[in-house]
């Protein structure tokens, strides 16, 4: 339930941009740091086995960094000029590469189509929020509802101890999660998801139903 006793969050454009940039950097800095560590191992005159381990670390980390950057380019970036549409097949590719690992898979059921930019950005941010609800991994099922200008999205998450991410309900509605009424880089993603929903003139909800977490945008 939304905490209606707190005033809505009000962010200037520069503050919103700074917080989103901080969130993107947070997602990318870990694999980039691992690449640096691998290069340092090789520079220290490591033996053949250590060099191979370092190369494997660099390969995997470079792949992870690339996947995260490509995802963030669409989910947070301009991804084309104002008013442009985005191919849902591109969204599927970046989402699958970003979210799929040994514990988590994406079950995609959105037909190929060009949809308004903010609507596709909203979908990707819904998936990012959904992944935060299954810290031990699981399945993220993505479906389209409606057609054409009425296209919406249904994201169903299953996994061990699936839950609604902390403060997500308030933040999606633009309400701060603390008494001070402030927001930080950790909380900016669900808040930004709500901003995208309102920009796309869509209603967004998240709820726990039995063992599922369900996100719906209509």
């Amino acid at each position: 339930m939304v905490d209606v006793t707190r005033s809505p969050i009000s962010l200037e454009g520069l503050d919103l941009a700074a917080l989103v940039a901080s969130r993107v950097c947070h997602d990318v800095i870990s694999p980039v740091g691992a690449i640096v560590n691998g290069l340092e191992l090789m520079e220290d005159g490591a033996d053949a086995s250590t060099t191979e381990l370092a190369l494997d670390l660099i390969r995997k980390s470079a792949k992870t960094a690339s996947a995260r950057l490509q995802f963030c380019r669409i989910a947070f970036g301009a991804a084309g000029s104002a008013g442009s549409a985005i191919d849902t097949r591109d969204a599927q590719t970046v989402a699958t590469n970003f979210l799929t690992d040994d514990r988590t898979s994406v079950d995609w059921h959105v037909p190929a189509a060009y949809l308004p930019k903010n609507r596709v950005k909203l979908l990707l941010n819904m998936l990012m929020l959904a992944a935060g609800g299954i810290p031990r991994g699981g399945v993220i099922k993505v479906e389209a509802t409606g057609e054409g200008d009425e296209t919406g999205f249904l994201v169903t998450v299953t996994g061990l101890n699936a839950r609604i991410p902390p403060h997500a309900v308030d933040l999606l509605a633009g309400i701060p999660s603390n008494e001070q009424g402030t927001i930080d880089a950790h909380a900016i993603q669900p808040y930004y998801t709500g901003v995208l929903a309102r920009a796309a003139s869509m209603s967004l909800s998240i709820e726990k139903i039995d063992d599922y977490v369900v996100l719906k945008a209509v």
Side-chain angles (χ1 to χ4, degrees):
M1 182 178 295
V2 175
D3 185 354
V4 296
T5 65
R6 295 180 180 170
S7 299
I9 297 168
S10 178
L11 283 179
E12 297 292 337
L14 287 176
D15 293 330
L16 176 60
L19 287 169
V20 169
S22 294
R23 175 57 197 253
V24 172
C25 291
H26 175 271
D27 288 337
V28 175
I29 196 169
S30 178
V32 170
I35 293 171
V36 173
N37 291 337
L39 290 171
E40 289 177 346
L41 279 175
M42 296 176 65
E43 290 173 352
D44 289 340
D47 56 28
S49 61
T50 303
T51 297
E52 183 55 37
L53 287 174
L55 284 172
D56 186 55
L57 173 63
I58 291 170
R59 291 188 196 100
K60 291 178 179 177
S61 300
K63 183 178 180 180
T64 298
S66 177
R68 292 185 181 184
L69 283 170
Q70 291 182 53
F71 180 92
C72 289
R73 175 179 174 270
I74 298 180
F76 297 111
S81 59
S84 66
I86 298 176
D87 192 336
T88 56
R89 289 171 294 187
D90 292 336
Q92 178 182 6
T93 298
V94 298
T96 301
N97 290 341
F98 174 64
L99 297 171
T100 300
D101 57 26
D102 294 338
R103 301 183 303 171
T104 304
S105 62
V106 176
D107 185 14
W108 189 273
H109 297 277
V110 177
Y114 283 89
L115 296 179
K117 177 175 61 180
N118 281 342
R119 195 164 297 196
V120 177
K121 289 160 65 74
L122 171 61
L123 173 59
L124 292 181
N125 275 272
M126 288 171 65
L127 297 181
M128 196 173 191
L129 188 60
I134 43 172
R136 298 187 181 183
V139 178
I140 303 173
K141 184 177 182 180
V142 194
E143 301 172 273
T145 61
E147 297 179 350
D149 292 339
E150 301 299 319
T151 299
F153 307 109
L154 179 65
V155 177
T156 306
V157 184
T158 57
L160 184 63
N161 297 328
R163 57 181 175 81
I164 296 176
H167 312 299
V169 175
D170 280 346
L171 290 167
L172 287 173
I175 304 299
S177 58
N178 56 44
E179 296 291 345
Q180 293 74 33
T182 57
I183 187 169
D184 57 20
H186 178 74
I188 195 63
Q189 194 275 323
Y191 170 77
Y192 181 68
T193 304
V195 171
L196 284 171
R198 292 186 284 277
S201 300
M202 301 186 77
S203 174
L204 180 61
S205 64
I206 181 171
E207 58 182 331
K208 178 78 179 297
I209 303 175
D210 297 328
D211 295 329
Y212 304 88
V213 173
V214 179
L215 294 90
K216 184 183 297 184
V218 295

